[in-house]
Amino acid sequence: MIPVVTPARMSEIDAAASESAEDLIEKAGAATARLAMEIMGGRYGRRVVIVSGPGNNGADGRVAAHRLQRAGVRASVVSALNAPEILPAADLYIDAAFGTGLSRSYSAPKRACEETPVLAVDIPSGIDGLTGEVMGGPVWPAGHTVTFAALKPGLLFNVGSKICGAVTVADIGLKIKSGDSTRCALFEDTDVEPLPVGSHTTHKWGNAVLVVAGSVGMGGAAALVCETAQVSGARLVCLNIPVEASKGLPVEVVHDEPPLSVDAARFKACAVGPGLGRDSAAAARFVDVLRLGLPTVIDADAMHLMHDPAVAEAMSQRRKRMVPTVFTPHDVEFEALTGHRPGVDRIAAARAAATEWQATVLLKGGPTVVANHDGQVRIISCVSPKLAAAGTGDVLTGIIAGRAAAFGAERIFECVAEAAHLHGRASEVIQSARLTASDLISALRQVTW
């Protein structure tokens, strides 16, 4: 995982550093110069224009200019406060105007060569380091960004994620404490734990998943959850669904009809919501699930039932017992869950919802944010627009349930982050511009190990 640190926290880390500000600036400027030469593919005769601001970000740029000049590059520095309307032609522009501490609007000057690459220092100037929103404008889209010690949220969200280009995290000697590293981090491929293989004593009921989903006309959603749970770690799936909605289920799935009457002790995890409906009968099925006390993934229709009086009471009792619970909302479902949309600071929104519901919250989006009630956050960046297709959310619910059954409730937060990451990676396997949920399940088999 790569730590993600807010601008405010980064300022505290800077202030607590054992090295002087001058030493840190020297290292940051050196890292910038090295990357600049890599981008240009050479040094001698190359022309670089650096836009330098009045703060530390500008100081990084001035150090980079000095080092580039010593290496044979024709580097010139332009003040961000009184830059000409159009900058001269160059082989590379370095944006060192303002970093993540910018608190006012900024408009970048024009470049004589708009097609020339841009290297941003820490973050493209004019982008809010916390939210990724544009502060004023226009801003320069960067082909590369060099940031220091840790990623900043503004590089991952909203406009910031679209214009930062390839991001390099440079080590300049700042110490990121373990608490910062685990509190908020970007999830990577190497963070996915392989599914347990099992042994000669493994039994199918050892990793069983209960799915309560589907209604008349919505049996497909339940089928997608079940099939994905089987691919993702469940050795047995039992589906509770009305008989008139049960056609077309995977042949391996055990199913029965409402009302729910199962031995909860036989299951490791539960998923509820996809295709459930939002009427009184659906609410009653949901209440039955909550009363089982199983680790449960709550998705889709179930989130629109959270304020039903009987559901609310069952959920209150569940919170008191600290039963592991996962919510998987997109923005509309988040509003049904909390009463408001997430807003631009999606990390804070997911954290607040997780605290409110004493649960793990997976806030879908680009990127996806996974937060738990202890304030830990994992950011999943491998999220494709192709996932905006019917049934893909049901697939995600099945992945979470399957992995929760395979690994156990004590690892639920990690299972949710892994599920979101695998969901995104599976979408990347599919070469076509569009996909179906069934395509996604097939691709999932290629990225799950």
Side-chain angles (χ1 to χ4, degrees):
M1 291 183 287
I2 303 175
V4 180
V5 177
T6 66
R9 178 60 185 145
M10 200 70 234
S11 293
E12 294 173 352
I13 293 170
D14 281 337
S18 58
E19 295 186 71
S20 68
E22 291 75 14
D23 286 342
L24 293 173
I25 288 169
E26 191 66 32
K27 290 181 178 180
T32 302
R34 283 195 298 272
L35 184 54
M37 287 184 282
E38 288 178 20
I39 294 168
M40 292 186 294
R43 299 176 293 173
Y44 294 105
R46 300 294 200 277
R47 297 167 301 169
V48 176
V49 173
I50 299 113
V51 178
S52 171
N56 287 348
N57 199 252
D60 297 341
R62 290 189 292 274
V63 169
H66 179 64
R67 285 180 171 262
L68 288 168
Q69 290 164 352
R70 286 169 52 192
V73 177
R74 293 160 58 190
S76 59
V77 178
V78 174
S79 170
L81 299 182
N82 56 9
E85 184 178 349
I86 301 177
L87 297 181
D91 297 299
L92 177 70
Y93 294 100
I94 296 181
D95 171 11
F98 297 97
T100 58
L102 182 65
S103 59
R104 59 179 178 83
S105 64
Y106 168 73
S107 295
K110 294 180 181 179
R111 291 162 285 151
C113 303
E114 293 290 334
E115 69 280 3
T116 295
V118 172
L119 168 60
V121 179
D122 210 19
I123 194 167
S125 296
I127 294 295
D128 188 303
L130 181 63
T131 68
E133 294 284 287
V134 176
M135 302 171 67
V139 298
W140 287 354
H144 299 264
T145 296
V146 56
T147 195
F148 308 112
L151 290 169
K152 317 306 185 298
L155 295 168
L156 301 172
F157 290 90
N158 300 310
V159 177
S161 67
K162 299 176 178 63
I163 68 166
C164 65
V167 178
T168 298
V169 180
D171 180 3
I172 59 172
L174 288 171
K175 303 300 182 184
I176 304 298
K177 295 182 179 179
S178 59
D180 290 308
S181 298
T182 58
R183 181 167 172 78
C184 185
L186 180 68
F187 202 87
E188 298 183 285
D189 288 340
T190 53
D191 298 318
V192 179
E193 188 76 18
L195 287 171
V197 176
S199 68
H200 65 282
T201 60
T202 300
H203 191 274
K204 62 187 178 185
W205 282 101
N207 304 115
V209 168
L210 173 65
V211 177
V212 180
S215 57
V216 177
M218 295 297 291
L224 289 169
V225 176
C226 292
E227 185 175 355
T228 312
Q230 290 173 318
V231 172
S232 303
R235 297 179 185 274
L236 183 146
V237 176
C238 177
L239 171 63
N240 181 270
I241 189 171
V243 65
E244 59 269 29
S246 62
K247 294 180 180 179
L249 294 174
V251 295
E252 303 91 346
V253 173
V254 178
H255 59 276
D256 66 356
E257 302 174 52
L260 185 62
S261 178
V262 296
D263 179 2
R266 304 198 77 179
F267 297 94
K268 286 293 184 68
C270 177
V272 60
L276 188 70
R278 302 181 191 179
D279 57 13
S280 58
R285 293 174 69 192
F286 188 16
V287 169
D288 287 343
V289 169
L290 295 175
R291 288 174 176 167
L292 291 176
L294 286 169
T296 299
V297 186
I298 298 174
D299 185 28
D301 287 336
M303 278 183 283
H304 290 274
L305 294 168
M306 290 299 296
H307 299 290
D308 175 273
V311 171
E313 174 58 27
M315 193 68 201
S316 176
Q317 295 301 316
R318 184 181 179 89
R319 285 204 300 267
K320 290 177 182 177
R321 293 180 297 171
M322 297 296 291
V323 181
T325 303
V326 179
F327 292 102
T328 61
H330 52 57
D331 283 16
V332 174
E333 292 165 341
F334 188 91
E335 184 175 16
L337 189 64
T338 65
H340 56 83
R341 293 293 179 97
V344 293
D345 189 347
R346 298 179 73 83
I347 294 175
R351 274 190 177 132
T355 299
E356 177 185 354
W357 290 101
Q358 289 295 290
T360 297
V361 172
L362 184 156
L363 177 56
K364 297 171 183 172
T368 286
V369 179
V370 179
N372 68 8
H373 55 82
D374 291 328
Q376 288 184 304
V377 169
R378 299 292 176 263
I379 299 171
I380 315 301
S381 63
C382 58
V383 180
S384 167
K386 292 188 289 186
L387 290 170
T392 58
D394 306 325
V395 171
L396 176 57
T397 294
I399 304 172
I400 298 170
R403 293 189 75 84
F407 287 101
E410 65 279 0
R411 202 174 170 276
I412 193 75
F413 175 60
E414 289 79 8
C415 287
V416 176
E418 289 166 350
H421 188 80
L422 292 169
H423 190 246
R425 283 289 183 243
S427 73
E428 294 175 345
V429 169
I430 300 166
Q431 297 300 310
S432 60
R434 298 183 182 274
L435 57 78
T436 67
S438 296
D439 295 333
L440 197 58
I441 296 173
S442 298
L444 187 63
R445 298 175 191 275
Q446 300 179 50
V447 299
T448 302
W449 56 89

